[in-house]
């Protein structure tokens, strides 16, 4: 937390003079200097140094990420697992703030376990994506841009969820600073009749393309295959292992 300054409007309430319209303010978007703050901030807080991809197939989904964590212009880690199991048949890739992503994953796992304990059934992917969107809209996980992939009774699903909480179900999607390089490969090579093995190879080529050109992506690949039988996550330093 920070100490309020003279131009901090978050604590300003109307005096108790009969006008109580601002007692429950500020509501979302009511800060007087919101636009000015946004212009000053620019996009420096929304840049995510990574590449993650997700693809849907008839038999399941494939998620893949690079393994590099960056700190400004420095490589802070060469062995980061950027995809995590959060559901018996669901997984999440992470791009953005590491601490926020770790907190989000812990919170989601806890909610999934509670849901299953209370209802005696697995949470559907639609319900899980809605829960993720609600968490991100709360503003407590600034700033994370995940891809959710999973399989439920309705089949495989891939969801792109932006930092503000919007949810889009896709055939394939990308996030991170290497997105444009990975997306170029996906646009050329994705088709809805890919097998799991073929989708894994396409995902690997997408990540490799990003690693070749994006400075914040590199050091190998995490591959996650999700089917109705469960979640399988592997790490590979050499792309040839999965191509």
């Amino acid at each position: 937390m920070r100490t309020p300054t003279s131009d901090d409007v978050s604590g300003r309430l109307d005096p108790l003079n009969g006008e109580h319209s601002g007692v429950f303010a500020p509501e979302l978007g009511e800060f007087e200097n919101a636009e000015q703050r946004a212009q000053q901030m620019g996009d420096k807080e929304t840049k995510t140094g990574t590449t993650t991809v997700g693809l849907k197939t008839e038999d399941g989904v494939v998620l893949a990420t690079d393994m590099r964590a960056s700190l400004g212009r420095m490589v802070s880690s060469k062995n980061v697992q950027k995809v995590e199991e959060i559901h018996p048949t669901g997984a999440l890739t992470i791009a953005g703030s590491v601490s926020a992503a770790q907190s989000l994953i812990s919170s989601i796992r806890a909610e999934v376990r509670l849901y299953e304990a209370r209802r005696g059934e697995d949470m559907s992917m639609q319900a899980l994506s809605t829960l993720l969107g609600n968490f991100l809209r709360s503003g407590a996980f600034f700033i994370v841009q995940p891809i959710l992939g999973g399989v439920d009774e309705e089949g495989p699903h891939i969801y792109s969820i932006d930092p503000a909480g919007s949810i889009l179900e896709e055939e394939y999607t990308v996030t991170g600073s290497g997105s444009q390089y990975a997306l170029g490969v996906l646009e050329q090579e994705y088709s809805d009749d890919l097998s799991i093995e073929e989708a894994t190879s396409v995902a690997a080529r997408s990540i490799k393309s990003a690693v070749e050109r994006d400075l914040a992506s590199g050091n190998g690949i995490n591959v996650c295959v999700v089917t109705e039988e469960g979640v399988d996550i592997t790490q590979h330093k050499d792309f040839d292992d999965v191509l």
Side-chain angles (χ1 to χ4, degrees), residues 48 93-97 100-101 104 136 141-146 161-164:
T48 57
T93 71
I94 56 174
S97 168
L104 177 63
L136 291 174
F141 303 96
F142 187 78
I143 187 170
V144 181
Q145 186 174 7
I161 306 174
D162 77 9

Side-chain angles (χ1 to χ4, degrees), residues 52-63:
T52 76
V53 305
L55 300 80
K56 183 171 77 171
T57 75
E58 290 185 358
D59 300 319
V61 300
V62 176
L63 303 169

Side-chain angles (χ1 to χ4, degrees), residues 176-226:
S177 56
S179 294
Q180 62 269 43
Y181 310 111
L183 190 59
V185 175
L186 290 177
E187 290 282 3
Q188 294 295 319
E189 300 194 20
Y190 178 80
S191 65
D192 57 10
D193 60 351
L194 291 174
S195 67
I196 289 287
E197 292 75 16
E198 291 168 337
T200 299
S201 181
V202 171
R205 285 196 289 275
S206 300
I207 298 296
K208 184 177 181 181
S209 177
V211 166
E212 293 288 342
R213 291 290 181 177
D214 178 44
L215 295 178
S217 302
N219 299 106
I221 181 173
N222 298 300
V223 177
C224 174
V225 175
V226 186

